[in-house]
Each structure stands twice: as C-alpha cells, then as structure tokens.
Amino acid sequence: MREEIIAAGFGGQGVMLIGKILAYAGMLEGKQVTYFPSYGAEVRGGTANSTTIISTAEIPTPISSHPDVLLAMNSPSCKKFGSRLKKGGLLIANTSLIEDVFKRSDLTIMKIPATSLAHDLGNKRSANMIMIGAYLKYKAIVSLKSVEKAFSIFLPGKKDFWDINKKALRLGMEYEGR
Amino acid sequence: MSKILMCGNEVIGEAAVQAGCRHYFGYPITPQNELTAYMARRMEEVGGVFLQSESELAAINMVLGASACGARAMTSSSSPGISLKQEGISYIAGMELPAVVVNVMRGGPGLGNIAPSQSDYFQAVKGGGHGDYRLIVLAPSCSQELYDLTALAFDLADTYRNPVMILADGMLGQMMEPVTLKKINSKRVKKPWVLTGAKNRPARMLRSLFLEAGALEKHNEKLQEKYRRIKAKEVRCETYNISRAEVIVVAYGSSARLTKAAVKMAEERGIKAGYIKPITLWPFPEEVFINEKDKDKRYLVVEMNEGQMVEDVERCAGDRKRVSFYGHAGGWIPQVEDIFKRIKKLV
Amino acid sequence: MKKVFGRTRTLRDTHTHYCPGCGHGIAHRLVAEVIDELGIRERTIGIAPVGCAVLAYYYWDLDICEAPHGRPPAVATGMKSVNPKNIVFTYQGDGDLAAIGFNETIHAANRGENITVIFINNAIYGMTGGQMAPTTLCGQVTATTPSGRNAERYGQPIHVAELLGHLPGVTFSSRVALSDIPNIMKTKQAIKKAFQAQMDGKGFSIVEVLSPCPTYWRKTPVEALKFIKKDMTKIFPLGVFKE
C-alpha cells in the first residue's frame, strides 16, 4: 500500500495542517510516512501545498510527481495539481472557491463546498477538516480515531475549538457529494 | 521508545540539545530557518545561549569563541551562508577547536534557489576554506540519521578537536518523518586547552598562526597525523549486496533514499544490484572500492549535482571506465524509475 | 636599594617585534598594568587581532586567543556567552576594527556586549606595508594613496569613538593619545575605566588610542609624536564621548 496525497490552497487555509494530521495518523497506525511542505517565497501570498505519503514500505522521496489524491482548496491549486493526478486518482474539490472543477474522465471527483459548510458550522477555518472528512469517506486510509488523536498533537488548544473541528470532520464524512 | 513526527531541521536542533549543545549562533537562510527558530525556543527552555548574529561570518566566529571557552557550540546555514563561514571554519580547523556546522544545502552557484541540492560536496569534503585541513563530514539520509549523526558530530568534534559538518539538504531539512528521540549518552572529553583565565596554571594560547621557521610545517604534520587517525577509525558506510551485485549504485543523503528504492526495483526484475551509501563523506569509505577485486563490476554514482563525489569514486575504483554518473544541479531530484533505467543499461 | 619601577605581572619578559617608536609596546604595557591593578589577570581572556599586534599573545601572560581579521568582537561575544564572569577584551587596529570588522564591531557594541575593546588608531596599515586605513588622514601619503588620501575618492577618516558613542549599548567610549607622558597616563585611566565598566557589568566599552607609527608615517619617533599632537588630534579630537 502506498498513498500520495497533495493538499493545496491559499496560505492560511490550513493545507499544511491537513498534511501533518494525515501523516501523524498514518504513523500512529504503524505505517511509514513522510510530510513535505512547500516552502520559501512560494508560501507567502501564493499557493501553499503539502505532500503526505503513507506507505507500508520505505519511502524513497517525500515528493510526489503523480499523487493519488488531491485535496484542492482553491482554483489555482486545483488547476496546478489536478493535471498531475494519477490515472484513477481522487480529486476532492472545495467548490466554495472552485467554480470550474478540472475535467478528467479518468478521475474520481468529489465536489464539496467546504468553506461554506465550515462557515455554517461557525468556524471558517475548519474547512480543512471538512476536506479530511470527505477524504476519509472515500478512502479509509487512516481511521477517524487516529485523525482525532493527531489533532491533539497539532492543535493543542481549547476544548470548544476541538469540538468544532471534530464536528467538521464528521460533516465532511457525511456529505453526499458528486 | 515511541516515534514522533518532526521536521528534519528541528530534529537536528533537538539532537544538538540532547548532546549538550547550549550555545547556538546563526543567521536566517532558507531552507534551514526552522532550525534557527527551534534553537531560539529550546535554548530558552534549557537555559542555553541563542544568538541571532549580524552575519554568517559573525556566527561562525561566535562559535569559535564559545568553543575556545569549552562549550559545545553549533551554527547552521545553507549553501551561500556556508560559503561565508569558510574563513572561520579554516581558523577553527587550524586552531584545533571542536565545532559543529550544519549545511542544509540548496541550489547554487551564487544565490541559486532554495530547492534541495547536493552541490556543496566539494566545498565540504575538499576544503572550502584555505589551507590543508579536513572537516569530518557526515551525510544523513533520513530523519533518524539527522538525529543520530548530529549527536555523533559533537562527540567526534570534541574527540578530535576538529570541526564536523552535517551535510544535509533542503529535502531532509523540510521533510517530516517519524523519528525516535533516543537518549543520548554524550562522550565526556577532557579539554585541557580551554581558556578560562590563567588561574593557578600557566597561561594558555589558542592560535593558528605559526611564524617561526618550520613551526607551521610541524603544525600541519600534527594535523595530518590526526586526519590519518580519523581515517583509520571513523569511516562509516552502509553497503547492500555489493559482493553479488553487477551494478553498485553509490549515493549519499537524499539521493541514497531514492537509490535504495531503485536497487530494490532492479532486484525485483532479476538484476543483480547493490549499493554503497557513504555516511562519512570525509573520511570517504575508500576501502570498500579498493578492496573490490571483481573488475567487471560497474559503479553508478547518483548525485543531486553535476558530478562531485563521482571523482572520489573514480579515484578509489581505479578505473574511470567502470564508473558512470547520473545527476543534475539546480534543485533537480532524481526519480526512482530513472535511476533504475540507468542500472538496467549498465547490465 | 628601593625598587621604583618594574615589569608588571601580565607583561611577559620578552622583546617585542615592534618597530622603534611604535605605540603598541606602550599600549600593551598599559593594558597589562590595568589588568594587574584591577587584579583580574586570572579571569581575563584576551583576543589578538590580525595586524601589527597579531603576536600580542607573546607579550601578555594571560589566556589569549587569535581571531580572523576583524572578527574579535564576534569571538568575544561567543566567549562571554560561555562564562560571563570572565573579563574578555579585544585589542584591534584600525584595519581590523574599522574596515574589515566594522560590522562585528558595531553589532557587538549595539548589543551592549559586556566586553572591552582597545582600539589602536595609527591611521595606517602597518603589518602589510603602510597602506591606507579607514582612519588615514586626508592628504596622508600611504602605499595605496601615493598622492595622499583623496576625500572625494575615499571619504573622510572614520570616527569610531564618536560613532559608537551614539549607541545605547555602549557604556564607555573615549579617545586618548600616546603622544606624551600626561596623555599616556590619561590613556591608562581610560583603559582602566573601560575594564572597570565591564567588571561592573555595564556593557560595551571602547578606548580609541591614537598611536604613533614612525615607520610608515616616514617620521622619526619624536616627529611622530608631534604629528599626533598637531595633526591627528585636529581630525580626531580627544575626549570622552560616552560615559
């Protein structure tokens, strides 16, 4: 088993956190994992992205040229990384900020208005968790339990903040997208 | 012990703290900024000294001063900043002071870019600064090695009174990978040369200047004798399947990770392949090549540069025709499949 | 017989390599006397520069270290960070401090590093053969300014004591001269104040010492002293700029 996941969006949408949480959850389940952020000038202002690889074998490189999964939080990143998705790959698109979803017949595409759902939930910043939830629904690559555990590492904070993010995860898992 | 997920730059920092480093001096440069920030935070926690210097020149000289007074001191930077440190490194080597210098390599020459690269091999291994000196150069290829080798670097520096360089790159520095933060039992090396003030003992002097007739030659002989001892004792290298292999891939650091996967791929397709992964780039694992009697074996050197370590492999293999090179500079990272294709071609 | 004068403890019993009439020997002695009078020799670490005083570690009997050209303030910063109880001083010339090492100087001063800097200003590069220094006077002939220093090309000589005196991290900044006995005594008092400031933990202290270089000024030792009094002090006024 080997899964390469790119999460991409604007700086501030929490795409780095998506990558870290998935990697940590994978590690908790005894998998080999790597996490690689985009860094430097690229991060500030432009698109930010992170690459997470979860595998049962040693991971030679943390960089993915043809990912299995793309969690696209905005339009530019959907265009930039969508074309690189593997044949048969999975695209989860945040349709709140992506009008024209990349068209490729060889992909499974899930559309989810993560930003508006998060807004309705009362915390705009939990859109990234809704994206993780949607991903877990399609692929049980890691368990919800492990993801929630990873939370406590990267989001040490107030209980109500945790609760809203847990809700966001479930919201993503329950959403019926096309 | 349980594993934790940390970015490579922070792993280096934590290893330094665990190895007893309480003096860190540095200047910001990408892609090693996480290390500087980590040390700023950790030194506060452990009661150490963190100082953001006015330049890389100043940072390495602060290390020189702290080391002269007996501290385990470290600085870190990336390629252009390491160029600036070369003056200080040469003095530290000449004065025989321990120091740990971390280079999280990026693309060059000049300002280059901030992508991972292995273009500073010559600079690290062949000198960098002026004079006949050697750095002990350690090349980690994963987060665990970043931790283990950084800790080792402090012991080697103290043992040999010599600067030690951790030669990492932007990929290793930025990547998060599980790591076990083992308890480090640092070697306690006596330092009867440290400057503390001449109380109840003769005054001490630390210098690299030797103007008296024959004195510098003698000093250099002493250094060379030390380098021979290091060569005899400290070579570290990982090998796989080299006795049976027809093609042996030679790579260190990030490119060694990819090489391992390519060798595995070759084996799965019935090709007899193996690898040599130097962990100490200086001293270079010369014996592995020299002791290889089978002159039909081919070497493939994979580097993220335009061909630097390959010169050492050619030198040690004794026959340039047996050595091929695969690599590019400028932030290029090889693909496992492409390394495999080159292995296949050589069979 | 009563002994009225002798070698001070911190000064080694040896010949120096300095030229006849050079100010370094006097400055070395003053530093040594101050260290002994303050009773700090056993906790003092000196840093020798690159320049004429590169061999200073042969003349002072205390723990001492070399530094790359211009870097003594950075080395001192590292040293002081290990043991703040040590008294750390640098001894630097005008090329070392005011040219190649000015960045290290100004930042150590601005941080208020609790160190003492003895800055020998002789308006020339002695060690390398009499080239222009950042403190060379306008019109002064040197190996690299054969027609005299031209202000249009090189600017005016740099005023270190005044410049550093502006920084909040500097607790003591003074300019003195080795031009005659009274001024030599004043120099000693300034050096003592600078070391005392460090002992009191007050921050960065610097003493700029106008010092003769008869060899590269092409003057006799007596003429050189006159040159300091008549010409140098006109451009580099003596005084305390921060206390």
Side-chain angles (χ1 to χ4, degrees), chain C residues 8 10-11 16-18 23-35 49 52-60 91 118 120 178 191:
Chain C
T8 188
T10 296
L11 211 58
T16 71
H17 70 288
Y18 298 118
H24 276 304
I26 300 168
H28 284 11
R29 182 177 175 103
L30 296 179
V31 169
E33 281 181 359
V34 165
I35 287 170
C52 279
V54 71
L55 297 175
Y57 39 67
Y58 284 154
Y59 311 137
W60 283 315
Y91 185 98
I118 309 299
I120 304 297
L178 299 176
I191 292 173

Side-chain angles (χ1 to χ4, degrees), chain B residues 23 49 54 58 61-62 65-66 69 87 91 95 195-199 201 203-209 212, chain C residues 41-42 45 54-55 57-58 61-66 68 71 74-75 78-79 81-82 86 103-104 107 111:
Chain B
H23 291 79
V49 172
E54 59 270 31
N61 284 290
M62 289 170 185
C69 289
E87 174 197 57
Y91 276 72
M95 292 165 83
L195 305 184
T196 55
K199 190 176 183 179
R201 59 159 173 78
R204 290 172 182 162
M205 183 196 291
L206 288 170
R207 57 166 178 166
S208 64
L209 180 75
E212 306 82 357
Chain C
R41 181 188 160 268
E42 293 185 338
I45 303 174
V54 71
L55 297 175
Y57 39 67
Y58 284 154
D61 189 13
L62 40 71
D63 274 13
I64 192 159
C65 180
E66 75 174 18
R71 320 292 170 226
V75 172
M79 287 183 159
S81 78
V82 177
N86 279 136
N103 198 34
E104 284 78 3
H107 283 280
R111 285 193 300 267

Side-chain angles (χ1 to χ4, degrees), chain A residues 57-58, chain B residues 240 259-269 273 275 340 343:
Chain A
E58 258 186 62
Chain B
Y240 172 75
T259 288
K260 278 189 197 180
V263 165
K264 202 174 163 209
M265 192 182 266
E267 278 192 310
E268 283 164 3
R269 285 155 180 79
Y275 67 78
F340 164 71
I343 295 172

Side-chain angles (χ1 to χ4, degrees), chain B residues 38-332:
Chain B
Y38 188 81
M39 292 310 260
R41 181 159 64 77
R42 287 292 277 140
M43 285 297 136
E44 225 168 74
E45 287 169 4
V46 299
V49 172
F50 168 87
L51 204 150
Q52 180 174 326
S53 61
E54 59 270 31
S55 69
E56 280 96 349
L57 276 173
I60 189 71
N61 284 290
M62 289 170 185
V63 166
L64 187 157
S67 176
C69 289
R72 284 196 151 183
M74 178 168 103
T75 184
S76 65
S77 191
S78 179
S79 309
I82 296 292
S83 293
L84 276 167
K85 290 186 197 292
Q86 293 303 328
E87 174 197 57
I89 291 172
S90 169
Y91 276 72
I92 288 170
M95 292 165 83
E96 292 198 86
L97 292 175
V100 174
V101 180
V102 179
N103 182 0
V104 182
M105 288 183 283
R106 56 187 257 180
L111 203 47
N113 64 15
I114 58 172
S117 166
Q118 295 183 321
S119 293
D120 304 345
Y121 177 91
F122 282 154
Q123 187 196 50
V125 169
K126 306 289 179 189
H130 60 285
D132 282 294
Y133 74 90
R134 291 291 189 179
L135 298 179
I136 298 173
V137 183
L138 304 174
S141 69
C142 62
S143 287
Q144 195 60 51
E145 280 183 343
L146 286 175
Y147 188 77
D148 298 344
L149 295 179
T150 301
L152 174 70
F154 283 95
D155 281 353
L156 292 175
D158 279 354
T159 304
Y160 294 102
R161 286 184 64 177
N162 206 71
V164 179
M165 180 171 278
I166 301 289
L167 198 65
D169 64 57
M171 186 162 119
L172 294 165
Q174 293 293 321
M175 176 175 59
M176 275 187 168
E177 193 174 44
V179 58
T180 307
L181 305 181
K182 296 179 273 192
K183 189 178 173 343
I184 291 165
N185 295 311
S186 280
K187 222 166 140 178
R188 296 217 165 177
V189 182
K190 283 200 179 123
K191 298 179 175 179
W193 44 267
V194 156
L195 305 184
T196 55
K199 190 176 183 179
N200 304 325
R201 59 159 173 78
R204 290 172 182 162
M205 183 196 291
L206 288 170
R207 57 166 178 166
S208 64
L209 180 75
F210 297 89
L211 292 176
E212 306 82 357
L216 184 60
E217 191 183 343
K218 222 173 127 191
H219 178 61
N220 268 292
E221 276 169 17
K222 185 184 161 217
L223 291 179
Q224 290 303 320
E225 192 279 323
K226 173 169 84 177
Y227 300 149
R228 280 192 291 276
R229 264 188 294 136
I230 297 171
K231 264 178 124 171
K233 276 182 137 176
E234 304 298 346
V235 171
R236 285 167 172 81
C237 158
E238 184 184 312
T239 60
Y240 172 75
N241 201 29
I242 53 173
S243 53
R244 278 176 302 164
E246 284 175 41
V247 179
I248 299 170
V249 191
V250 192
Y252 68 93
S254 281
S255 44
R257 297 171 69 100
L258 298 141
T259 288
K260 278 189 197 180
V263 165
K264 202 174 163 209
M265 192 182 266
E267 278 192 310
E268 283 164 3
R269 285 155 180 79
I271 297 169
K272 287 180 188 160
Y275 67 78
I276 296 172
K277 181 185 106 174
I279 293 169
T280 50
L281 297 181
W282 197 91
F284 192 69
E286 299 175 347
E287 301 295 321
V288 186
F289 300 92
I290 293 165
N291 293 344
E292 183 52 64
K293 298 279 180 288
D294 184 350
K295 299 301 175 203
D296 291 329
K297 280 190 184 171
R298 306 292 300 264
Y299 293 106
L300 172 65
V301 182
V302 181
E303 297 179 79
M304 285 147 61
N305 60 39
E306 294 291 345
Q308 299 191 18
M309 181 177 71
V310 64
E311 292 189 8
D312 278 329
V313 175
E314 284 173 352
R315 176 173 61 85
C316 299
D319 177 6
R320 291 180 68 171
K321 278 174 281 178
R322 287 166 58 212
V323 181
S324 314
F325 175 73
Y326 178 47
H328 291 292
W332 171 87

Side-chain angles (χ1 to χ4, degrees), chain C residues 29-235:
Chain C
R29 182 177 175 103
L30 296 179
V31 169
E33 281 181 359
V34 165
I35 287 170
D36 291 334
E37 284 169 21
L38 293 171
I40 52 173
R41 181 188 160 268
E42 293 185 338
R43 60 178 173 124
T44 295
I45 303 174
I47 301 168
V50 172
C52 279
V54 71
L55 297 175
Y57 39 67
Y58 284 154
Y59 311 137
W60 283 315
D61 189 13
L62 40 71
D63 274 13
I64 192 159
C65 180
E66 75 174 18
H69 198 22
R71 320 292 170 226
V75 172
T77 300
M79 287 183 159
K80 198 75 180 180
S81 78
V82 177
N83 187 4
K85 282 183 187 152
N86 279 136
I87 300 296
V88 179
F89 77 94
T90 73
Y91 185 98
Q92 302 174 258
D94 35 39
D96 199 81
L97 182 140
I100 198 165
F102 205 60
N103 198 34
E104 284 78 3
T105 304
I106 207 153
H107 283 280
N110 194 50
R111 285 193 300 267
E113 295 292 343
N114 191 30
I115 59 171
T116 300
V117 173
I118 309 299
F119 167 41
I120 304 297
N121 176 0
N122 59 10
I124 199 98
Y125 281 56
M127 172 65 105
T128 44
Q131 296 87 351
M132 183 191 66
T135 48
T136 292
L137 305 188
C138 290
Q140 189 181 332
V141 173
T142 72
T144 47
T145 54
S147 319
R149 175 175 178 146
N150 178 351
E152 276 175 29
R153 183 70 191 83
Y154 288 112
Q156 299 288 332
I158 203 160
H159 289 69
V160 172
E162 287 90 336
L163 268 171
L164 295 188
H166 287 301
L167 300 176
V170 175
T171 182
F172 181 73
S173 178
S174 162
R175 184 180 293 115
V176 289
L178 299 176
S179 47
D180 53 24
I181 303 293
N183 274 298
I184 288 172
M185 295 322 285
K186 278 186 193 165
T187 302
K188 184 176 169 183
Q189 288 318 308
I191 292 173
K192 202 168 197 171
K193 273 189 181 171
F195 274 96
Q196 189 64 53
Q198 183 180 172
M199 289 166 73
D200 298 342
K202 285 183 178 163
F204 191 92
S205 52
I206 177 166
V207 181
E208 176 173 341
V209 183
L210 303 185
S211 177
C213 178
T215 302
Y216 289 111
W217 291 356
R218 313 277 176 215
K219 293 183 192 322
T220 66
V222 174
E223 285 168 357
L225 295 180
K226 275 187 194 153
F227 179 76
I228 295 181
K229 267 191 168 170
K230 274 193 161 176
D231 300 280
M232 266 186 104
T233 49
K234 242 184 247 162
I235 306 298

